[in-house]
Amino acid sequence: MANRPALSTAEGGEADARSKISDSFSFLDVLHANQFEGEFVEPQHAEQVEENFYRGAPPNWLNFYISEQAVSDGNATPFIKRDGYETLKEQIHLRRKGPGTSTIKLFHQQGCGGTTLAMQVLWDLRKTFRCAVLTGSTLDITKVAQDVVSLFTAGSHGHQKTVLLLLNDEFIILQDRIMDEIAEQDIEIDLPVVILLNCVRSSDGIIHQKARSYELKQKFKRKMRKSIILKKSLSDREQADFDMKKEELGRRFGDRCKQFHGFNILQSNFSQAYIRNACATLEHIKRINKPLKMQLAAFLCLLNAYVPGSYLLESQCLDFLRRDKFGHLSLEDQMQPFSHLIVTFQQGERSEKKVCMAHNMIAQCCTELLANAGVTRSDTTRHFLNSFCRSYVPPYLLGFIKDMLNKREITVIEDPTHGIKEWKEKFSRLIQDITKREDEGNSLSVLIMASNKFYEVSLFPQTLARFYYIQLEDYYNAEIWAKEAKRRAPWSSFVADTLGQVHKSHLKKMPVYTRPSEILQLAQKAIEAFEDEEKLAKNEHAKGKQGDGNVKVLRALNTRGLFGYLEVCSLLYDHLIRHDELWKQVLTRTMSLDSVLKSTGDRNIVRFKELINSLRDLVEKRFEFFDTFLTYSYSVVKRDDSSYMSRKTIECYKKYVGDAEPNDQLQKAFHKLKQKLAVTSPGVLSCLERCTRSDTKDIAVWWREICQHKHSATHALLNYVLANIMLINLKEPPSSSDYQSSFREKMPLAPEMQPKFHMLALLLCWPTDGEHELASDLPHLIQNILQSYEQEYKSLFQSRYLRPIFFLGPGQGLNRFVHRRNLEILWTQDALEDPKTNWRNDDIFTDPTVQGKLLRIEGIVQDYRLYATFGDTEIELDANRKDSLWKKGHVFFYLGFTIGGPVAYNVHRAEGKKIKLLKSSSLQMSYVLIIHILYCHYQSELVLRTKFSCTKLVLLLHLKILTIENRYLICT
């Protein structure tokens, strides 16, 4: 009789899972601690499951159970453990010490056993953790988080156990949501909630880059690793294990093991000779009169070669083959002599049987052999679309086709001059291969067929438009298909972007002899397309902000339209000044349009007067948006705020600001600040990243001049103070000493003022090192910045990470504010390197040189909230990492300031103070022990009630020791 499903518990026992597990989890496939125990597995079924796995089917839990039982019975050698196995287990166990949620990534090349390794680790740890695989959509992160917390708490408080969750993508936002769920349910925890194991299939280039990065970091000798890498190569130890397993399989399965391609490819160390030999049956295929089984094999090869993890259902394959006279036979019989290259498998009792190639390397080799025989990739694709996409196409198959024709891969190479270079390919691998190995016409034909077959899907005409304008430079047809994509998805800003890109590319390629009016006409079309995209992006963002009651992955604001607008304006500027230098003055509005009309003789330009006159203001507005956007935040999903985007926006802005200075002295100062990109607060705060020391001095002087003007606004004083903080961070004396008092006179600030004002007020009023009493109403100031941020920026930054601007260091006045750039330089040891520090993970604070610049703040964690303590006052703060708040008690942290308010970084447990002696004697040692004991008691709640007397006694003892002749004691 089978045992009831059970979960492991914190005490090492098992809890009945019937009431909690069953079908209650929408997104998790739970691996029970006693999976299969007490069940009778038919020997024939077990043998078939094992054989399918070695032939190339994806692993399932039964594979590991069968192997475990065979080893215990003495009938088999253990399941092979790859080199990354022990490291991965060790890293998972290290994360049992905390924090509340953590991540370990397993990067692997396709077909090298990465998923098998991840599942093997889960199987072996099923009694140590509550193991599960994320199977559903990752869009509804609230439901995923609820499932994880339910699994963690299943069986009552005493039965809580850390969840080990396997994901097949790089999912980031889930961690914070899980801790939110724990706090909302008011669950007390004393062990980590979840360890996320991200199993990430990566390209060869990315794997190489990750391996190289790890080698460089080895010098730090850190115990905790962020990722494990599994490559397509075997070590000597692995090779010996595979050779031993091969002998065993030969004894057990006889000649059948010759067709265990999934296993044999790894055992041969991914030998191309083995793969070529396995695919030999396809070497002499003829293009004409192909039987249906040959066509089906070609379809499977194409899918598996270009879409990892793809498959067809067995029922679909049989339906396709039924047109043949042998339709009554099994799939395996009908597919001879190709059957050994194909695997049929089932994932779960309720799912349909699936069919795929034995290995992706076999699929790739077969696809190449078929192409050499005249069965081209484009022919196979068109035939596949006609055969399997006649009427209803199931969502899973449509997803595979979308990936095959549209998904662009990331390419990574190591450049000796510029280091690691990374970019997104222009088209999918299949389209690129058809274009390269056949011709552009066949790529067009495939995309047109897909666009017509799936007449409601916008992705195919979008890709077709891109192919026309990028590959063929056919802007007429590109515009037609871009508009068709828009018609199919009129609400999508990302689809609308394609039309703007078509016009922008056309503008870029315009010959030098093109008349100004024609240039302006095309630029206007591009600008209108990008403006339309901007409106759609705002609508999408507003809908995401409102939500539907469920917290899902919040879509970031699509800024491509804003960026495209600036790119078009930059191209327009370059084209026009090529015709006549007078256009510089016209576009910067220091000269009227009439002057250029006389020199060009192109009267059609007058039609674009409104556009020309509006360009400078609109360029400045969009640049200021990006300066704010990139200074205060970065993407949490991926680092897409490239230096390219920043460089291009600055380049366009400077063109339209121009060199001509106004006559008015005040306006002249503003113009100079625009030229130095410091006319706004984000610009001033970026001085350390893009200005010289001399420029920063000038910026402070110009802001002082503006402040001295009788009609100067409050923001001028703000920027003046910020400029002086920048100078101090450059170890330069401030340009004046009266700025702090001037700003303090403006306080208290009105709550509706922008967050930058409230941030500076917080900086100026924050207690100094050693100050235990609050000099101002700090909670009120924090509340002001939180409310101001909510109104001004929250919707804009809702799916982005707020970058720290300043950190609190030791010292007095403005000297104690450390700009993030100074810490980045210490961390990277390179002042010229782009500021790409990942502040989100707190790693930078492990560097002793960084720690030395910062003031360590004391606080307390209770009820998943963090409080900074000042005497008897507690101030609630946000934590950079919510998973650091999983244990209550005294903590230390470093304080940073974002545009959204103060944030605690690197929150860590309080440790007893260490005492170091340079020379020893029994007397001094006695005093030291007394002090140490008193300090430890001082930390307890008992002595906290007599804090004054205890502190006084420690101080007296400390002074007594320091009177000893040689002062041997050093307390740290």
Side-chain angles (χ1 to χ4, degrees):
M1 182 177 173
N3 294 339
R4 292 169 177 170
L7 299 172
S8 58
T9 64
E11 296 81 9
E14 293 180 358
D16 187 2
R18 284 178 303 166
S19 60
K20 291 286 181 183
I21 305 305
S22 60
D23 298 319
S24 62
F25 296 129
S26 308
F27 297 96
L28 304 184
D29 171 21
V30 177
L31 171 61
H32 299 119
N34 62 345
Q35 192 97 358
F36 303 116
E37 290 177 15
E39 291 185 27
F40 175 71
V41 181
E42 289 281 354
Q44 189 176 358
H45 176 60
E47 185 174 305
Q48 187 61 57
V49 168
E50 199 173 4
E51 184 173 334
N52 282 348
F53 172 67
Y54 288 122
R55 287 188 60 200
N60 60 51
W61 300 126
L62 189 55
N63 286 120
F64 303 106
Y65 177 74
I66 293 167
S67 174
E68 211 172 65
Q69 293 303 302
V71 171
S72 64
D73 295 341
N75 299 327
T77 57
F79 206 98
I80 295 173
K81 294 175 180 174
R82 300 296 300 276
D83 280 350
Y85 173 87
E86 293 297 344
T87 309
L88 187 54
K89 275 185 69 176
E90 177 191 356
Q91 290 300 312
I92 289 169
H93 280 298
L94 282 173
R95 285 159 173 77
R96 294 178 73 185
K97 300 173 184 177
T101 65
S102 58
T103 302
I104 177 72
K105 293 179 183 177
L106 172 61
F107 290 98
H108 64 99
Q109 291 165 292
Q110 184 186 354
C112 73
T115 303
T116 304
L117 170 58
M119 290 181 66
Q120 181 184 7
V121 169
L122 256 69
W123 176 264
D124 290 346
L125 294 177
R126 69 192 185 281
K127 294 182 185 295
T128 307
F129 297 93
R130 291 183 177 167
C131 299
V133 180
L134 183 63
T135 57
S137 167
T138 55
L139 287 177
D140 192 344
I141 61 170
T142 295
K143 189 64 182 80
V144 175
Q146 288 170 351
D147 280 1
V148 170
V149 173
S150 294
L151 183 56
F152 170 74
T153 58
S156 82
H157 173 75
H159 290 153
Q160 289 178 356
K161 198 65 177 286
T162 301
V163 175
L164 179 58
L165 181 63
L166 174 61
L167 308 91
N168 285 316
D169 59 12
E170 295 189 75
F171 199 64
I172 298 171
I173 308 172
L174 181 58
Q175 289 177 261
D176 282 351
R177 188 66 200 114
I178 289 170
M179 293 311 295
D180 287 342
E181 193 66 33
I182 288 285
E184 286 171 16
Q185 294 186 31
D186 197 22
I187 300 169
E188 285 192 19
I189 61 173
D190 54 9
L191 71 165
V193 178
V194 65
I195 299 169
L196 303 177
L197 171 54
N198 282 341
C199 192
V200 186
R201 185 187 288 118
S202 305
S203 67
D204 293 354
I206 291 175
I207 290 290
H208 175 73
Q209 182 244 324
K210 295 287 181 185
R212 176 71 178 142
S213 176
Y214 173 67
E215 288 170 12
L216 293 173
K217 289 176 182 176
Q218 276 291 80
K219 61 182 180 181
F220 296 110
K221 297 180 181 177
R222 292 178 188 149
K223 268 191 172 183
M224 192 76 77
R225 287 178 58 178
K226 294 179 185 176
S227 61
I228 309 296
I229 300 161
L230 190 64
K231 296 190 284 189
K232 280 184 181 176
S233 62
L234 300 181
S235 66
D236 292 341
R237 198 273 308 165
E238 288 175 315
Q239 187 68 65
D241 287 350
F242 271 96
D243 291 343
M244 188 183 299
K245 179 63 76 171
K246 185 176 183 179
E247 291 178 13
E248 175 204 320
L249 295 179
R251 291 193 299 270
R252 291 174 55 204
F253 292 95
D255 286 344
R256 282 184 291 167
C257 70
K258 293 179 181 177
Q259 297 183 356
F260 288 178
H261 298 309
F263 172 83
N264 291 339
I265 287 173
L266 268 73
Q267 187 273 331
S268 69
N269 207 0
F270 306 93
S271 164
Q272 288 294 334
Y274 174 86
I275 293 163
R276 184 89 184 188
N277 185 57
C279 303
T281 50
L282 289 168
E283 283 190 341
H284 306 294
I285 295 297
K286 294 180 181 179
R287 181 179 180 183
I288 56 173
N289 300 322
K290 299 190 298 294
L292 291 179
K293 61 183 177 182
M294 180 65 254
Q295 296 172 34
L296 181 57
F299 297 159
L300 287 167
C301 288
L302 186 80
L303 264 181
N304 290 162
Y306 289 99
V307 186
S310 57
Y311 57 85
L312 293 175
L313 295 180
E314 184 185 50
S315 57
Q316 290 177 306
C317 297
L318 290 170
D319 285 344
F320 176 75
L321 294 174
R322 281 200 180 101
R323 290 177 284 169
D324 206 324
K325 58 183 177 181
F326 302 109
H328 62 286
L329 298 176
S330 69
L331 180 64
E332 184 177 355
D333 290 338
Q334 290 189 68
M335 289 302 293
Q336 293 292 354
F338 314 116
S339 295
H340 69 99
L341 299 175
I342 295 167
V343 180
T344 302
F345 62 96
Q346 190 171 12
Q347 292 176 308
E349 296 177 1
R350 301 176 186 175
S351 64
E352 289 192 61
K353 287 186 176 181
K354 299 170 182 176
V355 183
C356 68
M357 300 300 292
H359 197 277
N360 75 294
M361 293 176 75
I362 284 179
Q364 290 165 2
C365 182
C366 289
T367 300
E368 191 63 37
L369 290 172
L370 287 168
N372 293 339
V375 184
T376 64
R377 291 169 173 81
S378 60
D379 281 343
T380 303
T381 307
R382 285 189 291 265
H383 192 189
F384 175 69
L385 291 174
N386 278 327
S387 301
F388 281 80
C389 305
R390 291 184 172 182
S391 53
Y392 170 73
V393 180
Y396 83 89
L397 184 56
L398 178 57
F400 294 154
I401 294 168
K402 284 180 177 179
D403 283 354
M404 187 167 67
L405 298 181
N406 303 287
K407 189 173 182 179
R408 298 152 60 194
E409 294 192 353
I410 303 294
T411 296
V412 178
I413 63 167
E414 192 167 358
D415 188 302
T417 308
H418 302 101
I420 300 296
K421 294 183 72 176
E422 184 177 313
W423 70 88
K424 203 172 192 178
E425 294 290 349
K426 293 177 181 176
F427 302 100
S428 72
R429 273 197 306 123
L430 176 59
I431 294 301
Q432 289 190 142
D433 283 349
I434 292 173
T435 303
K436 182 180 177 180
R437 298 165 189 266
E438 300 174 38
D439 55 48
E440 293 164 338
N442 276 310
S443 292
L444 270 181
S445 171
V446 166
L447 291 172
I448 289 171
M449 175 179 279
S451 297
N452 292 331
K453 280 273 181 192
F454 304 101
Y455 54 86
E456 292 182 347
V457 180
S458 62
L459 195 56
F460 299 111
Q462 191 180 9
T463 300
L464 186 52
R466 293 185 69 258
F467 193 87
Y468 268 118
Y469 86 78
I470 293 171
Q471 192 69 32
L472 303 176
E473 296 184 10
D474 179 348
Y475 301 106
Y476 175 77
N477 279 303
E479 183 177 355
I480 289 172
W481 284 104
K483 287 180 175 177
E484 171 60 19
K486 271 196 74 176
R487 186 194 64 78
R488 297 183 187 189
W491 60 86
S492 172
S493 65
F494 293 92
V495 172
D497 181 68
T498 306
L499 182 59
Q501 298 296 340
V502 168
H503 295 317
K504 187 192 78 179
S505 182
H506 191 185
L507 181 65
K508 192 174 183 178
K509 297 285 185 178
M510 289 193 95
V512 292
Y513 53 78
T514 309
R515 290 168 62 83
S517 58
E518 293 173 12
I519 295 169
L520 283 161
Q521 184 174 10
L522 185 54
Q524 186 170 47
K525 288 173 72 174
I527 283 170
E528 287 172 355
F530 284 125
E531 285 179 329
D532 179 51
E533 180 185 354
E534 287 177 41
K535 292 175 186 174
L536 292 172
K538 286 178 183 176
N539 291 338
E540 286 171 343
H541 199 60
K543 287 179 182 177
K545 183 176 64 174
Q546 292 163 4
D548 57 1
N550 293 319
V551 179
K552 300 189 178 182
V553 176
L554 297 171
R555 176 180 284 182
L557 175 68
N558 175 16
T559 59
R560 295 180 192 177
L562 291 156
F563 185 63
Y565 185 103
L566 292 175
E567 287 186 298
V568 169
C569 291
S570 189
L571 286 169
L572 176 61
Y573 181 94
D574 292 340
H575 273 302
L576 291 177
I577 64 167
R578 232 181 254 130
H579 276 272
D580 195 325
E581 284 286 321
L582 283 175
W583 277 107
K584 277 187 181 180
Q585 282 74 45
V586 173
L587 294 173
T588 56
R589 294 222 303 263
T590 56
M591 186 181 287
S592 70
L593 183 61
D594 294 337
S595 54
V596 84
L597 284 173
K598 295 172 186 176
S599 64
T600 61
D602 188 351
R603 301 301 302 176
N604 289 325
I605 293 173
V606 177
R607 291 191 292 129
F608 305 101
K609 185 175 183 179
E610 185 179 344
L611 170 68
I612 293 165
N613 289 337
S614 68
L615 285 175
R616 175 170 172 166
D617 288 342
L618 294 175
V619 164
E620 288 188 14
K621 180 182 176 184
R622 283 163 176 78
F623 168 77
E624 288 175 9
F625 166 83
F626 275 110
D627 214 25
T628 299
F629 199 61
L630 302 180
T631 299
Y632 292 152
S633 71
Y634 66 68
S635 170
V636 297
V637 178
K638 58 183 179 179
R639 298 300 301 272
D640 56 0
D641 304 330
S642 64
S643 55
Y644 172 81
M645 179 180 285
S646 180
R647 188 174 69 252
K648 285 293 181 182
T649 55
I650 290 171
E651 186 181 291
C652 178
Y653 177 73
K654 285 188 171 181
K655 287 175 182 177
Y656 283 84
V657 167
D659 300 323
E661 294 184 354
N663 294 323
D664 180 74
Q665 199 63 29
L666 180 64
Q667 292 306 313
K668 186 182 290 186
F670 275 118
H671 187 265
K672 286 177 179 177
L673 286 165
K674 286 182 179 181
Q675 288 179 315
K676 298 300 179 184
L677 312 175
V679 77
T680 62
S681 298
V684 175
L685 291 168
S686 300
C687 280
L688 268 63
E689 295 165 351
R690 61 193 182 197
C691 292
T692 65
R693 187 178 296 267
S694 174
D695 286 344
T696 307
K697 288 180 181 179
D698 290 340
I699 288 165
V701 170
W702 294 327
W703 276 118
R704 183 177 64 188
E705 290 175 6
I706 293 169
C707 285
Q708 289 170 349
H709 195 273
K710 60 180 179 181
H711 297 302
S712 68
T714 308
H715 83 271
L717 179 58
L718 167 80
N719 290 336
Y720 178 45
V721 178
L722 293 177
N724 277 283
I725 299 177
M726 296 297 104
L727 283 176
I728 292 169
N729 270 265
L730 289 170
K731 294 184 169 53
E732 292 286 343
S735 64
S736 176
S737 59
D738 61 353
Y739 44 82
Q740 287 193 68
S741 57
S742 299
F743 188 81
R744 284 178 183 273
E745 287 172 7
K746 306 285 184 182
M747 298 174 64
L749 302 173
E752 63 272 12
M753 293 184 78
Q754 291 177 303
K756 57 188 179 183
F757 292 100
H758 296 292
M759 182 184 72
L760 182 57
L762 260 179
L763 290 172
L764 296 178
C765 297
W766 199 273
T768 58
D769 185 10
E771 187 179 349
H772 297 293
E773 296 300 324
L774 302 186
S776 58
D777 188 2
L778 208 57
H780 181 69
L781 293 175
I782 292 174
Q783 194 60 35
N784 280 349
I785 192 171
L786 293 176
Q787 290 176 354
S788 178
Y789 172 78
E790 177 105 15
Q791 295 170 1
E792 185 84 9
Y793 292 130
K794 189 172 182 182
S795 64
L796 179 63
F797 297 143
Q798 65 181 352
S799 57
R800 293 175 67 82
Y801 175 76
L802 293 185
R803 299 172 73 191
I805 299 167
F806 294 110
F807 287 90
L808 193 64
Q812 303 293 318
L814 299 189
N815 291 290
R816 60 203 175 111
F817 303 124
V818 184
H819 191 271
R820 66 168 178 241
R821 184 59 184 147
N822 279 339
L823 299 184
E824 287 174 333
I825 292 169
L826 291 173
W827 172 241
T828 61
Q829 298 180 349
D830 187 352
L832 299 178
E833 188 174 313
D834 283 334
K836 294 179 181 177
T837 302
N838 183 5
W839 292 100
R840 190 175 172 82
N841 61 20
D842 275 350
D843 280 0
I844 189 172
F845 302 104
T846 61
D847 190 323
T849 56
V850 171
Q851 294 173 1
K853 292 288 183 182
L854 303 176
L855 182 66
R856 200 163 73 143
I857 308 293
E858 189 172 351
I860 188 168
V861 172
Q862 52 191 23
D863 299 326
Y864 306 105
R865 289 181 172 86
L866 173 68
Y867 301 89
T869 53
F870 301 94
D872 296 328
T873 307
E874 294 178 348
I875 303 292
E876 185 175 353
L877 299 174
D878 281 337
N880 184 44
R881 293 186 55 169
K882 290 184 179 180
D883 58 8
S884 63
L885 308 182
W886 68 293
K887 273 189 177 180
K888 61 184 177 181
H890 287 85
V891 293
F892 291 108
F893 56 88
Y894 301 112
L895 186 67
F897 296 87
T898 73
I899 196 61
V903 176
Y905 294 82
N906 192 37
V907 178
H908 52 280
R909 301 297 115 190
E911 297 177 2
K913 296 198 173 185
K914 298 177 182 177
I915 296 177
K916 180 180 177 183
L917 290 172
L918 297 182
K919 295 184 181 180
S920 63
S921 75
S922 59
L923 179 61
Q924 284 110 33
M925 182 60 74
S926 299
Y927 282 134
V928 169
L929 289 174
I930 292 169
I931 292 174
H932 184 62
I933 292 166
L934 284 169
Y935 176 80
C936 293
H937 280 290
Y938 177 75
Q939 295 288 333
S940 71
E941 291 181 4
L942 179 65
V943 180
L944 279 174
R945 289 196 290 267
T946 58
K947 183 169 66 174
F948 174 76
S949 59
C950 181
T951 307
K952 185 175 180 181
L953 180 57
V954 170
L955 181 60
L956 290 171
L957 284 167
H958 186 56
L959 290 171
K960 175 72 174 175
I961 292 169
L962 291 180
T963 61
I964 296 173
E965 184 178 357
N966 292 318
R967 297 189 181 183
Y968 294 137
L969 181 68
I970 294 179
C971 291
T972 60

